[in-house]
Amino acid sequence: MSTIINRILKQIGDPELLDKLLSLSKADLNSLLLGLFEKQTDKFTPADVLKTFQSNRFSTPSDASPAKFHALETQLLTAAKEMDIETVLLSPSAPLGSCSVFGCVDQYNVVSALRGTETLSDPSNMLAIIIADKLKSRTENNILPLHYATTARVVRAQAFSGRGFLANFGLFCLVSSGKDSGSYICEKELLTKHFLFYKELLREKYNAKLSIVMRKRGGYTDGDGFFASMTEVVQTMLPDTPLSLNYDNDDNKYYQGINFKIYMENEHEKMEIGDGGFVDWMNQMLGSKKERCLISGIGLDRLLMLG
């Protein structure tokens, strides 16, 4: 429990208050919190709202051109459809815990909300949840891999600094799901799909100078063999692109086997614009060790900066 929470409980005079609240049903807890926020906002004035806007980084608008931003979204989603990737228009809200429950991020880094929701902070998690729902309900199967993509404006609670780092920013995310068939065949197919998309987009449409970093991660019994197989896929697809291999810090709970970073460079600067790797989220949701899932994404605001 954080120092701040301990201080608040001590101030209230009830160190067991959190446990008491958590003993309520979800519906009752939600009703209680709604009542609390209603009473809080009853005291607000329009001037208070303006003052909050001026100091709250989560509601600050982006400096990006809306026309250019939405044109880029259209370009990416159209390119995805042309590669037989299913596109989805997500809700700005996600189920509460949609990131932290998978062990990916601390809930403190997500803007939690009421009615069992949180502000969307990672579209890749939501795409994975949507795919898992379709697989569980048997409206889809992934004997042949499924590929889903989306764009979204997201909000994250951790404090960022530096050029290209904002509390709210745009992402393009690609999530693929398949079944293990041995010899890393499924993983190779998923990774090929992702890099084919980024190759056509960034090199052929943007004529971008790219470089890639491949990082080894835990999660596979034959970690070295898996890393070598995935590295070979990338080298084959992008033989002229600088590729760095990083074997450090391979005990990572987010990615399984590999994590790749995509860097884009123009005459003025070099910037990380993409990130991806295999995750075990499908295994966790569906209870099957045969499930394979690859996620990746690129930052839209950053792509606009370098484009």
Side-chain angles (χ1 to χ4, degrees):
M1 192 179 299
S2 73
T3 303
I4 296 174
I5 297 297
N6 282 327
R7 175 184 60 77
I8 294 170
L9 294 178
K10 185 176 181 180
Q11 181 178 331
I12 293 173
D14 188 351
E16 297 180 358
L17 178 60
L18 278 185
D19 292 330
K20 291 176 181 177
L21 292 174
L22 288 172
S23 69
L24 298 173
S25 68
K26 290 181 181 179
D28 285 350
L29 179 59
N30 187 70
S31 296
L32 179 65
L33 292 173
L34 284 170
L36 177 65
F37 282 114
E38 183 180 35
K39 285 187 174 295
Q40 187 180 43
T41 55
D42 281 345
K43 300 177 182 179
F44 288 0
T45 66
D48 292 328
V49 174
L50 175 59
K51 185 177 180 180
T52 299
F53 168 76
Q54 292 169 332
S55 62
N56 191 326
R57 62 190 174 91
F58 298 119
S59 53
T60 302
S62 170
D63 291 331
S65 162
K68 290 181 179 179
F69 182 85
H70 292 305
L72 178 57
E73 286 186 301
T74 300
Q75 180 188 27
L76 289 165
L77 295 172
T78 300
K81 289 295 289 184
E82 289 172 351
M83 287 187 61
D84 296 321
I85 298 169
E86 189 70 30
T87 55
V88 181
L89 183 60
L90 295 179
S91 166
S93 295
L96 184 65
S98 61
C99 289
S100 62
V101 167
F102 294 99
C104 306
V105 298
D106 193 306
Q107 190 65 31
Y108 275 101
N109 291 332
V110 177
V111 180
S112 302
L114 296 179
R115 295 184 168 93
T117 67
E118 62 189 34
T119 303
L120 184 67
S121 64
D122 193 336
S124 59
N125 288 71
M126 274 311 305
L127 286 179
I129 291 168
I130 289 168
I131 294 172
D133 177 59
K134 291 178 180 294
L135 293 175
K136 192 173 182 65
S137 64
R138 298 186 179 180
T139 56
E140 291 273 17
N141 73 73
N142 59 356
I143 296 173
L144 294 177
L146 300 173
H147 307 285
Y148 278 67
T150 192
T151 59
R153 195 117 197 125
V154 302
V155 178
R156 293 185 183 170
Q158 63 262 55
F160 295 107
S161 62
R163 176 172 159 81
F165 288 98
L166 304 167
N168 70 87
F169 51 93
L171 289 174
F172 168 86
C173 288
L174 175 57
V175 175
S176 297
S177 168
K179 281 276 196 300
D180 175 37
S181 56
S183 302
Y184 309 135
I185 293 172
C186 177
E187 289 93 335
K188 290 177 183 177
E189 185 175 354
L190 301 187
L191 191 62
T192 297
K193 185 76 170 184
H194 283 231
F195 270 95
L196 180 60
F197 178 84
Y198 295 122
K199 175 185 176 182
E200 292 192 0
L201 174 76
L202 300 175
R203 285 189 59 174
E204 298 177 12
K205 291 189 178 181
Y206 276 82
N207 194 29
K209 183 178 180 181
L210 301 178
S211 59
I212 297 168
V213 175
M214 296 279 286
R215 295 178 173 177
K216 182 185 174 189
R217 299 304 189 197
Y220 277 79
T221 303
D222 180 17
D224 291 337
F226 179 77
F227 188 71
S229 294
M230 298 304 108
T231 299
E232 184 180 2
V233 170
V234 178
Q235 288 173 325
T236 300
M237 294 197 66
L238 298 165
D240 300 323
T241 300
L243 175 63
S244 302
L245 305 182
N246 187 331
Y247 294 90
D248 297 334
N249 190 28
D250 64 351
D251 185 16
N252 178 280
K253 294 181 180 179
Y254 192 103
Y255 289 114
Q256 305 285 305
I258 62 161
N259 163 222
F260 60 83
K261 301 277 187 180
I262 302 175
Y263 293 84
M264 186 169 163
E265 186 175 350
N266 62 18
E267 58 183 0
H268 302 296
E269 61 184 317
K270 178 179 179 180
M271 186 180 290
E272 179 190 330
I273 63 159
D275 176 85
F278 291 94
V279 293
D280 64 354
W281 304 343
M282 292 296 180
N283 304 19
Q284 294 186 54
M285 286 186 281
L286 300 175
S288 170
K289 293 184 178 180
K290 286 287 187 179
E291 296 294 335
R292 297 293 180 266
C293 182
L294 177 64
I295 67 170
S296 66
I298 55 176
L300 302 187
D301 300 70
R302 292 186 167 197
L303 191 54
L304 286 174
M305 288 180 188
L306 293 170

